[in-house]
Amino acid sequence: MKTADDLTFRPASASDAELLASVFMECFAGPPWNEPWSLETAVRRISLFAAAPTFRGIVAIEGSHAVALALGQIEGWTQGNLFLLQEMCVLPDRQGSGIGSRLLDHLLSRLRDHDDVIEMYLLTDAGSEAESFYLGRGFRRSDRKVVLRMGTP
Ligand SMILES: CC(C)(COP(=O)(O)OP(=O)(O)OC[C@H]1O[C@@H](n2cnc3c(N)ncnc32)[C@H](O)[C@@H]1OP(=O)(O)O)[C@@H](O)C(=O)NCCC(=O)NCCS
């Protein structure tokens, strides 16, 4: 759907892997994340997500360029489905102008209307600007769950 400012929001698919990977790389290269992605490792990450039948995503396009993405997986649950939001980002020079909020709205309405999703959840760094973004848009910290990690010995 086209909007007045020329941004288009459309579902993402496996054939978008390179397009999405270039946005993803640029978004997470700088502070606060400073993640050392190459195009190859970014394409691999996105392609693995997108190969699953449970993959769902939205990409924001402006002209011929992607400027933002939101990607994840649906999971079956007792009533309806859950959605794990695995990656969401807006190009650094476009952050803070409302694109992320609109992208999340598109994703939520699509998941609710097409995939019977009743709840979305995600992992992010505690106290980060990203957490503030999500808290300002209806997400709440879980008071029961923790993230547990272990390297492979
Ligand atoms: C977090 C992110 C997706 C938000 O999208 P956005 O388009 O910048 O956000 P919007 O303009 O719709 O909303 C602005 C809100 O986001 C918050 N925010 C978070 N990160 C921000 C950033 N880098 N720049 C500007 N605002 C940011 C602001 O505090 C603001 O909150 P408020 O409306 O309650 O005052 C985007 O900033 C981004 O891609 N950041 C880098 C990657 C990242 O952190 N992704 C999430 C990892 S889990």
Side-chain angles (χ1 to χ4, degrees):
M1 119 216 8
K2 201 91 168 167
T3 60
D5 61 5
D6 216 23
L7 268 184
T8 305
F9 296 86
R10 66 156 172 83
S13 71
S15 63
D16 294 315
E18 289 223 3
L19 182 80
L20 299 172
S22 61
V23 173
F24 173 76
M25 264 180 80
E26 195 176 333
C27 288
F28 290 96
W33 305 106
N34 302 312
E35 292 174 353
W37 294 100
S38 64
L39 186 60
E40 187 187 2
T41 55
V43 168
R44 181 166 177 275
R45 180 164 173 81
I46 304 285
S47 300
L48 285 171
F49 288 158
T54 49
F55 173 76
R56 300 290 185 275
I58 300 280
V59 55
I61 304 281
E62 193 173 52
S64 56
H65 302 288
V67 297
L69 58 84
L71 314 173
Q73 311 287 331
I74 51 170
E75 300 175 356
W77 196 243
T78 53
Q79 297 145 335
N81 293 316
L82 306 182
F83 184 76
L84 170 58
L85 181 60
Q86 292 170 306
E87 296 296 352
M88 171 157 176
C89 68
V90 177
L91 284 180
D93 64 347
R94 307 301 303 278
Q95 292 172 11
S97 62
I99 295 173
S101 303
R102 290 167 55 195
L103 186 66
L104 195 57
D105 287 345
H106 280 271
L107 180 65
L108 279 166
S109 55
R110 192 164 177 89
L111 290 171
R112 188 192 53 224
D113 298 346
H114 295 266
D115 293 299
D116 193 24
V117 168
I118 55 170
E119 186 175 310
M120 182 182 289
Y121 71 100
L122 62 93
L123 305 176
T124 196
D125 284 9
S128 63
E129 279 201 61
E131 184 186 13
S132 307
F133 168 78
Y134 294 117
L135 290 176
R137 278 146 196 86
F139 287 80
R140 293 290 165 260
R141 272 194 189 202
S142 168
D143 50 7
R144 291 176 50 205
K145 306 288 187 194
V146 293
V147 178
L148 302 181
R149 312 176 61 167
M150 187 177 94
T152 47

